[in-house]
Amino acid sequence: QNAVFTVSPAGTIVTLIQGGSNQPFGKIYAMAMDTQSGDVVVFDGAGYILRITRDAKPVVTTIVTSLSTGGNGGLHPLYGRRNQLIGVWNRTTIHSLVLGSSTPLTTIKNGSPFVWLADVEYEPATGLYAVADLSNSSGSVYRFDPVSGTVTTIVALNGIRPTQIAVAGGRHLCAVN
């Protein structure tokens, strides 16, 4: 079953919403926290982006429906911008998601060099974002500037396909299938 939950610093698990016959979402591919409200934003495999409040009785609101998906996805708060996330979910496009807007999605970058984007993560040391691309033949990790749209290659992985990425200090950690 799909579920969205939080874990307190003391280790307490609080379930916000859990799957079942009335679940509002399909397989969860990515999620992030809205740094302004503390709400959780979820991208699912059915092509929905949903906002889940962290109230005593969580409320699920659909932000976007019918997205074209590539089977993976990543969401991360857009650093320095209120109510905005950066996301990847349809193979070759990086999006900005503005919460509370009547037109929440904006394309930041589309196409080359991207083949099949899988995840995005903020790099505090550079102020930019690391993006994992799990191309069918050889994956790569890129550095992306959401202001200029500039993409630089951090590493070509020669046949290794990163599905998730995390940045810890100056290190890039990748999970692969």
Side-chain angles (χ1 to χ4, degrees):
Q1 292 184 354
N2 289 322
V4 176
F5 58 90
T6 60
V7 180
S8 74
T12 304
I13 296 174
V14 176
T15 301
L16 297 178
I17 191 160
Q18 189 164 356
S21 61
N22 294 321
Q23 71 183 29
F25 48 81
K27 181 178 179 183
I28 297 170
Y29 284 130
M31 60 187 253
M33 185 172 290
D34 173 16
T35 56
Q36 176 147 352
S37 68
D39 294 346
V40 177
V41 179
V42 173
F43 163 66
D44 78 353
Y48 289 87
I49 296 178
L50 306 161
R51 184 180 204 154
I52 304 167
T53 64
R54 293 181 59 202
D55 302 325
K57 186 172 182 176
V59 176
V60 179
T61 306
T62 301
I63 299 172
V64 178
T65 61
S66 303
L67 290 173
S68 170
T69 68
N72 290 81
L75 281 172
H76 200 282
L78 196 52
Y79 186 77
R81 300 199 189 155
R82 300 179 78 147
N83 288 325
Q84 279 191 285
L85 301 171
I86 186 169
V88 299
W89 51 76
N90 74 344
R91 299 199 179 180
T92 63
T93 307
I94 298 177
H95 299 274
S96 167
L97 176 65
V98 181
L99 303 172
S101 171
S102 60
T103 55
L105 284 181
T106 303
T107 297
I108 302 175
K109 174 79 176 165
N110 185 29
S112 182
F114 306 134
V115 177
W116 192 329
L117 296 174
D119 200 8
V120 60
E121 179 72 25
Y122 182 67
E123 288 184 315
T126 64
L128 304 176
Y129 289 82
V131 182
D133 189 330
L134 58 85
S135 166
N136 291 331
S137 57
S138 64
S140 297
V141 177
Y142 298 103
R143 183 169 286 126
F144 175 70
D145 182 336
V147 175
S148 69
T150 302
V151 177
T152 54
T153 302
I154 296 173
V155 64
L157 296 171
N158 300 320
I160 299 172
R161 301 173 63 211
T163 57
Q164 299 292 312
I165 189 166
V167 177
R171 295 185 174 158
H172 295 83
L173 311 169
C174 295
V176 298
N177 282 342

